[in-house]
Short mmCIF file of all heavy atoms in Angstrom, two decimals:
data_model
loop_
_atom_site.label_atom_id
_atom_site.label_comp_id
_atom_site.label_asym_id
_atom_site.label_seq_id
_atom_site.Cartn_x
_atom_site.Cartn_y
_atom_site.Cartn_z
N ARG A 480 125.15 163.74 163.53
CA ARG A 480 124.51 162.45 163.30
C ARG A 480 124.40 161.69 164.63
O ARG A 480 123.43 160.99 164.87
CB ARG A 480 125.31 161.64 162.29
CG ARG A 480 124.65 160.35 161.90
CD ARG A 480 125.35 159.66 160.78
NE ARG A 480 125.21 160.49 159.59
CZ ARG A 480 125.90 160.31 158.49
NH1 ARG A 480 126.78 159.36 158.40
NH2 ARG A 480 125.70 161.10 157.45
N LEU A 481 125.40 161.84 165.49
CA LEU A 481 125.39 161.18 166.79
C LEU A 481 124.19 161.63 167.62
O LEU A 481 123.52 160.81 168.25
CB LEU A 481 126.69 161.46 167.54
CG LEU A 481 126.80 160.86 168.93
CD1 LEU A 481 126.72 159.34 168.88
CD2 LEU A 481 128.09 161.31 169.60
N GLU A 482 123.90 162.91 167.63
CA GLU A 482 122.74 163.42 168.37
C GLU A 482 121.44 162.82 167.83
O GLU A 482 120.53 162.52 168.61
CB GLU A 482 122.68 164.93 168.32
CG GLU A 482 123.69 165.61 169.20
CD GLU A 482 123.54 167.11 169.18
OE1 GLU A 482 124.16 167.75 168.33
OE2 GLU A 482 122.78 167.63 170.03
N ILE A 483 121.34 162.66 166.52
CA ILE A 483 120.15 162.07 165.91
C ILE A 483 120.00 160.62 166.35
O ILE A 483 118.91 160.19 166.75
CB ILE A 483 120.20 162.20 164.38
CG1 ILE A 483 120.12 163.68 163.98
CG2 ILE A 483 119.09 161.39 163.72
CD1 ILE A 483 120.43 163.95 162.53
N VAL A 484 121.09 159.87 166.31
CA VAL A 484 121.05 158.46 166.69
C VAL A 484 120.68 158.31 168.17
O VAL A 484 119.83 157.50 168.54
CB VAL A 484 122.40 157.77 166.38
CG1 VAL A 484 122.46 156.38 166.99
CG2 VAL A 484 122.64 157.72 164.88
N ILE A 485 121.30 159.12 169.02
CA ILE A 485 121.02 159.05 170.46
C ILE A 485 119.56 159.42 170.72
O ILE A 485 118.89 158.78 171.54
CB ILE A 485 121.98 159.95 171.25
CG1 ILE A 485 123.39 159.34 171.21
CG2 ILE A 485 121.51 160.14 172.68
CD1 ILE A 485 124.46 160.24 171.78
N SER A 486 119.06 160.43 170.04
CA SER A 486 117.66 160.83 170.22
C SER A 486 116.72 159.71 169.80
O SER A 486 115.72 159.43 170.48
CB SER A 486 117.36 162.09 169.41
OG SER A 486 118.14 163.16 169.87
N PHE A 487 117.02 159.05 168.69
CA PHE A 487 116.19 157.95 168.22
C PHE A 487 116.19 156.80 169.24
O PHE A 487 115.14 156.26 169.57
CB PHE A 487 116.70 157.46 166.86
CG PHE A 487 115.87 156.36 166.28
CD1 PHE A 487 114.60 156.61 165.80
CD2 PHE A 487 116.36 155.06 166.22
CE1 PHE A 487 113.82 155.58 165.28
CE2 PHE A 487 115.60 154.03 165.71
CZ PHE A 487 114.32 154.29 165.23
N LEU A 488 117.38 156.47 169.76
CA LEU A 488 117.47 155.40 170.76
C LEU A 488 116.71 155.79 172.03
O LEU A 488 116.08 154.94 172.66
CB LEU A 488 118.92 155.09 171.07
CG LEU A 488 119.71 154.44 169.92
CD1 LEU A 488 121.17 154.30 170.30
CD2 LEU A 488 119.11 153.10 169.54
N ALA A 489 116.77 157.06 172.41
CA ALA A 489 116.04 157.52 173.60
C ALA A 489 114.53 157.38 173.40
O ALA A 489 113.82 156.95 174.31
CB ALA A 489 116.42 158.96 173.91
N VAL A 490 114.05 157.73 172.22
CA VAL A 490 112.62 157.59 171.94
C VAL A 490 112.22 156.11 171.99
O VAL A 490 111.18 155.75 172.56
CB VAL A 490 112.24 158.23 170.59
CG1 VAL A 490 110.84 157.84 170.16
CG2 VAL A 490 112.36 159.74 170.67
N LEU A 491 113.05 155.24 171.44
CA LEU A 491 112.75 153.80 171.50
C LEU A 491 112.68 153.31 172.95
O LEU A 491 111.81 152.51 173.29
CB LEU A 491 113.81 153.00 170.74
CG LEU A 491 113.80 153.13 169.22
CD1 LEU A 491 114.92 152.28 168.62
CD2 LEU A 491 112.46 152.73 168.64
N GLU A 492 113.57 153.80 173.80
CA GLU A 492 113.54 153.42 175.21
C GLU A 492 112.27 153.93 175.88
O GLU A 492 111.66 153.22 176.70
CB GLU A 492 114.78 153.95 175.93
CG GLU A 492 114.86 153.57 177.38
CD GLU A 492 114.97 152.09 177.66
OE1 GLU A 492 115.45 151.33 176.79
OE2 GLU A 492 114.57 151.66 178.76
N LEU A 493 111.86 155.15 175.55
CA LEU A 493 110.62 155.69 176.13
C LEU A 493 109.40 154.90 175.66
O LEU A 493 108.45 154.70 176.43
CB LEU A 493 110.48 157.17 175.77
CG LEU A 493 111.47 158.10 176.46
CD1 LEU A 493 111.38 159.51 175.87
CD2 LEU A 493 111.24 158.13 177.96
N VAL A 494 109.42 154.43 174.42
CA VAL A 494 108.33 153.58 173.91
C VAL A 494 108.31 152.27 174.70
O VAL A 494 107.25 151.81 175.15
CB VAL A 494 108.48 153.32 172.40
CG1 VAL A 494 107.53 152.23 171.94
CG2 VAL A 494 108.25 154.60 171.61
N LYS A 495 109.48 151.68 174.89
CA LYS A 495 109.59 150.43 175.65
C LYS A 495 109.04 150.59 177.07
O LYS A 495 108.38 149.69 177.59
CB LYS A 495 111.06 150.01 175.70
CG LYS A 495 111.35 148.77 176.48
CD LYS A 495 112.83 148.47 176.43
CE LYS A 495 113.26 147.59 177.57
NZ LYS A 495 114.71 147.42 177.60
N ARG A 496 109.29 151.74 177.69
CA ARG A 496 108.82 152.01 179.06
C ARG A 496 107.38 152.52 179.09
O ARG A 496 106.86 152.85 180.15
CB ARG A 496 109.72 153.03 179.73
CG ARG A 496 111.12 152.52 179.97
CD ARG A 496 111.93 153.57 180.66
NE ARG A 496 113.30 153.13 180.87
CZ ARG A 496 114.10 153.65 181.77
NH1 ARG A 496 113.68 154.62 182.54
NH2 ARG A 496 115.32 153.20 181.91
N ARG A 497 106.76 152.63 177.92
CA ARG A 497 105.38 153.11 177.77
C ARG A 497 105.22 154.56 178.22
O ARG A 497 104.14 155.00 178.59
CB ARG A 497 104.41 152.18 178.49
CG ARG A 497 104.46 150.77 177.93
CD ARG A 497 103.63 149.83 178.70
NE ARG A 497 102.27 150.40 178.86
CZ ARG A 497 101.19 149.69 179.03
NH1 ARG A 497 101.26 148.40 179.05
NH2 ARG A 497 100.04 150.28 179.19
N GLN A 498 106.31 155.30 178.20
CA GLN A 498 106.25 156.73 178.52
C GLN A 498 105.68 157.53 177.35
O GLN A 498 105.04 158.56 177.55
CB GLN A 498 107.66 157.25 178.85
CG GLN A 498 108.29 156.61 180.05
CD GLN A 498 107.71 157.13 181.34
OE1 GLN A 498 107.48 158.32 181.48
NE2 GLN A 498 107.47 156.25 182.28
N VAL A 499 105.95 157.06 176.14
CA VAL A 499 105.43 157.70 174.93
C VAL A 499 104.92 156.63 173.98
O VAL A 499 105.28 155.45 174.09
CB VAL A 499 106.49 158.57 174.20
CG1 VAL A 499 107.00 159.69 175.08
CG2 VAL A 499 107.62 157.74 173.67
N VAL A 500 104.08 157.04 173.07
CA VAL A 500 103.66 156.21 171.94
C VAL A 500 104.02 156.98 170.68
O VAL A 500 104.08 158.21 170.68
CB VAL A 500 102.15 155.89 171.96
CG1 VAL A 500 101.81 154.99 173.13
CG2 VAL A 500 101.31 157.14 171.98
N VAL A 501 104.29 156.25 169.64
CA VAL A 501 104.61 156.90 168.36
C VAL A 501 103.63 156.41 167.31
O VAL A 501 103.13 155.29 167.37
CB VAL A 501 106.07 156.61 167.93
CG1 VAL A 501 107.06 157.25 168.88
CG2 VAL A 501 106.35 155.14 167.81
N GLN A 502 103.36 157.29 166.38
CA GLN A 502 102.49 156.92 165.25
C GLN A 502 102.94 157.67 164.02
O GLN A 502 103.51 158.76 164.12
CB GLN A 502 101.03 157.19 165.57
CG GLN A 502 100.69 158.61 165.89
CD GLN A 502 99.24 158.76 166.34
OE1 GLN A 502 98.60 157.81 166.74
NE2 GLN A 502 98.74 159.98 166.27
N GLN A 503 102.70 157.06 162.89
CA GLN A 503 103.06 157.65 161.61
C GLN A 503 101.82 157.54 160.72
O GLN A 503 101.62 156.53 160.06
CB GLN A 503 104.26 156.91 161.02
CG GLN A 503 104.85 157.56 159.81
CD GLN A 503 106.09 156.82 159.32
OE1 GLN A 503 106.26 155.64 159.57
NE2 GLN A 503 106.94 157.53 158.62
N PRO A 504 100.99 158.59 160.72
CA PRO A 504 99.71 158.52 160.02
C PRO A 504 99.82 158.27 158.51
O PRO A 504 98.93 157.67 157.93
CB PRO A 504 99.06 159.88 160.29
CG PRO A 504 99.79 160.46 161.45
CD PRO A 504 101.15 159.87 161.42
N GLU A 505 100.89 158.74 157.90
CA GLU A 505 101.05 158.59 156.46
C GLU A 505 102.35 157.86 156.15
O GLU A 505 103.34 158.02 156.86
CB GLU A 505 101.11 159.96 155.77
CG GLU A 505 99.90 160.83 155.99
CD GLU A 505 100.13 162.24 155.42
OE1 GLU A 505 101.20 162.50 154.86
OE2 GLU A 505 99.22 163.05 155.57
#
Side-chain angles (χ1 to χ4, degrees):
R480 185 173 293 167
L481 178 61
E482 285 184 271
I483 294 169
V484 170
I485 290 171
S486 297
F487 182 71
L488 292 174
V490 168
L491 290 179
E492 181 63 25
L493 290 171
V494 169
K495 178 179 158 186
R496 294 181 182 201
R497 299 174 51 153
Q498 298 284 318
V499 299
V500 293
V501 294
Q502 60 186 19
Q503 189 176 24
E505 301 173 1

